Amino acid sequence: MRTELRYFTIGDSYGGNQDWMADHWMNIGGCAALTACDSMIYFSLVRKQKDVCPFDPQTITREEYMDFGMQMKPYIRPRFAGVYKLNMYISGLKDYLKNRGMDQAITMEELRGIRPYEEAREAVVRQIIRGFVVPCLTLNHQDPEFDDYVWHWFILNGFDETDDGRLMVKAATYGEYRWLDFKKLWDTGYERRGGLVLYGQR
């Protein structure tokens, strides 16, 4: 069974693209802030939570997206070590929502990467079926297949349960998407891991 959420595009870009950012720190380390921007654009476009995004999600331009990224930067600030904890993302996005008077609109919970794969799989499927994108943080990974996702935040917005029992997830980042084996993605081979942010809506 395959389920894919409606998502936004900017020109030919599937979602936003970190490479667009002219600001040095946002260009090299803005993935968490931009994942928050992508989430808010999605909430505005699909879940009709209009006030969480400062621009029209149906017509947002590259320049407006870059502007949005810089608005989010003070809340989820790029730094030398990266936004390496789920609660750093959640705390920053809560502050952003509070300053827009929307702090009661969206809830967030963390599912840490140390949790069993089965629990994470169930959470991803449940969230996407409910219509929520899933921010994902991957830290180090032993499998070179995931080199592009090391120490990186990105969005999961679809899943496909294959005939052989695997869960493939649709991962959106840098203006494109790829289908990834979620068990391989989750089982990084390292003790220190990232995890998922689970959204809700009041």
Side-chain angles (χ1 to χ4, degrees), residues 154-198:
F154 51 97
I155 291 284
L156 304 181
N157 64 359
F159 71 86
D160 188 11
E161 295 179 295
T162 66
D163 292 340
D164 61 2
R166 291 181 299 148
L167 182 72
M168 304 298 292
V169 290
K170 189 178 184 182
T173 187
Y174 282 103
E176 58 185 20
Y177 67 85
R178 285 173 53 192
W179 287 94
L180 306 175
D181 185 315
F182 185 60
K183 189 173 193 308
K184 291 181 179 179
L185 176 67
W186 192 254
D187 295 336
T188 66
Y190 287 89
E191 182 176 350
R192 188 183 189 189
R193 302 185 180 187
L196 307 173
V197 174
L198 309 180

Side-chain angles (χ1 to χ4, degrees), residues 5 42-43 47 127-128 130-134 156 199-201:
L5 298 178
Y42 175 83
F43 266 91
R47 301 199 61 88
Q127 288 295 102
I128 292 174
R130 292 175 61 207
F132 293 108
V133 295
V134 183
L156 304 181
Y199 288 128
Q201 192 171 14

Side-chain angles (χ1 to χ4, degrees), residues 60-129:
I60 189 168
T61 66
R62 173 171 170 165
E63 290 72 25
E64 289 172 335
Y65 182 83
M66 293 166 64
D67 187 354
F68 191 14
M70 294 306 294
Q71 291 184 44
M72 190 65 73
K73 179 183 177 182
Y75 299 98
I76 308 178
R77 181 177 53 83
R79 61 206 79 190
F80 182 74
V83 180
Y84 61 92
K85 293 182 179 179
L86 301 174
N87 62 7
M88 296 164 72
Y89 176 96
I90 290 173
S91 175
L93 186 50
K94 281 184 175 179
D95 285 344
Y96 165 81
L97 290 168
K98 183 177 182 179
N99 282 349
R100 292 192 65 84
M102 298 298 293
D103 50 315
Q104 299 301 313
I106 296 172
T107 63
M108 288 172 273
E109 298 179 13
E110 59 179 67
L111 197 158
R112 297 173 62 194
I114 59 172
R115 302 303 301 167
Y117 163 71
E118 292 75 15
E119 182 180 349
R121 173 180 176 136
E122 180 182 346
V124 167
V125 169
R126 180 181 68 248
Q127 288 295 102
I128 292 174
I129 287 176

